[in-house]
Each structure stands twice: as C-alpha cells, then as structure tokens.
Amino acid sequence: MKTEELNGILQLELEHAETFVALLKREQAALINGDIEVLTLLSIKKILVVNQLMQLHEERSQLLTASNSQIETTEFNVLLPPTTNIAQQCQALLQSAKQLNQTNETILAHWLRQTRQSLQALRGAAGQAELYNPKGLTV
C-alpha cells in the first residue's frame, strides 16, 4: 500500500471534516438568528464538502483495494492505530459534527413548531373574523 498517498487522502479528509464542522457552527448561529439567506448559502457549501468527503472516501477505498488490503475501509480507527493523531482528530471532528447536527436539528424543530403555531393562530383568527355583506351589515 502507498502509505504516503493514504496519509495524503486522510489529511484531506481531516481538512474537509474541519470545514464541515465550521459550516455546522455557522449554520447554528444562522438558525439562532433566523438568518434564512445564510442558511441557503451554507446548505450549498455543506453539500459541496460532503461530496468532496465522499470522493476522498472512494479514493481511499480504491487505494486500499488496489493494495489487496483486508482492512475495513470505512473506519478511521481501523486504518490507523487509535493513538495516531490524525485518527483521534478525525474521530473528535466526526463526534463534534454529530452533536452540532443534533443541536441544529433541535433548533430547527423549535422554529418549525413556532411557525406552525403562528399559522394555526392566523387560521383561527381568520375563521372568527366578522364578515360584511354588500350593504355593510354583519353577516
């Protein structure tokens, strides 16, 4: 196996994971502030980073397959010993991304609940509104 090439791929994966975590943090701030325009831009950027991570994963898998490795290609801690700095960093970033995503989901659910309640209140108020006929009399 080409160790240098594998290390290069893993380093790129680490960098992209760092970028993804940073985007999730920005997303959280935008959710808290209700900044919809920023959320749209962040969604596009997140998709690009995820696609790059998927491509790097594929390259890593192909490299390991080409080297006839019996190593499972989906886990960083299998590729490198747990004491390896890059493996620890990747695992920490993935855990952080998971937590941030869960928090963002909670914030989004809160906004959705508020929006639904507001819509229900508006619909209820519209149903109770007094209506007038062409002569201006209450119907």
Side-chain angles (χ1 to χ4, degrees):
M1 175 175 18
K2 300 176 183 177
T3 307
E4 286 182 25
E5 191 174 351
L6 178 61
N7 286 336
I9 291 170
L10 289 171
Q11 185 61 42
L12 286 173
E13 284 184 280
L14 176 63
E15 291 169 10
H16 284 74
E18 289 170 341
T19 300
F20 190 67
V21 167
L23 289 171
L24 286 171
K25 288 178 181 179
R26 288 178 57 199
E27 178 182 66
Q28 188 172 93
L31 284 168
I32 290 169
N33 296 323
D35 195 345
I36 296 169
E37 292 81 20
V38 171
L39 288 173
T40 303
L41 294 172
L42 290 173
S43 293
I44 294 167
K45 289 180 179 182
K46 283 183 358 183
I47 290 169
L48 292 172
V49 172
V50 167
N51 287 338
Q52 291 168 336
L53 281 166
M54 289 172 38
Q55 178 62 38
L56 288 167
H57 173 75
E58 183 62 28
E59 289 176 24
R60 180 168 39 93
S61 296
Q62 289 174 0
L63 179 64
L64 291 170
T65 301
S67 67
N68 295 320
S69 175
Q70 298 300 315
I71 298 174
E72 175 62 42
T73 61
T74 59
E75 297 288 335
F76 283 114
N77 59 353
V78 174
L79 292 173
L80 299 169
T83 56
T84 304
N85 191 29
I86 194 167
Q88 291 174 340
Q89 289 175 5
C90 284
Q91 288 177 349
L93 283 170
L94 293 174
Q95 185 61 34
S96 178
K98 181 179 179 180
Q99 290 171 346
L100 283 165
N101 197 47
Q102 288 172 341
T103 301
N104 291 354
E105 182 180 330
T106 301
I107 295 168
L108 190 56
H110 171 75
W111 281 109
L112 183 59
R113 212 172 22 259
Q114 280 189 328
T115 301
R116 285 185 178 153
Q117 289 172 349
S118 296
L119 283 173
Q120 288 175 347
L122 288 172
R123 287 182 183 138
Q128 297 174 4
E130 291 186 20
L131 301 177
Y132 299 94
N133 65 17
K135 294 183 181 179
L137 302 173
T138 304
V139 180

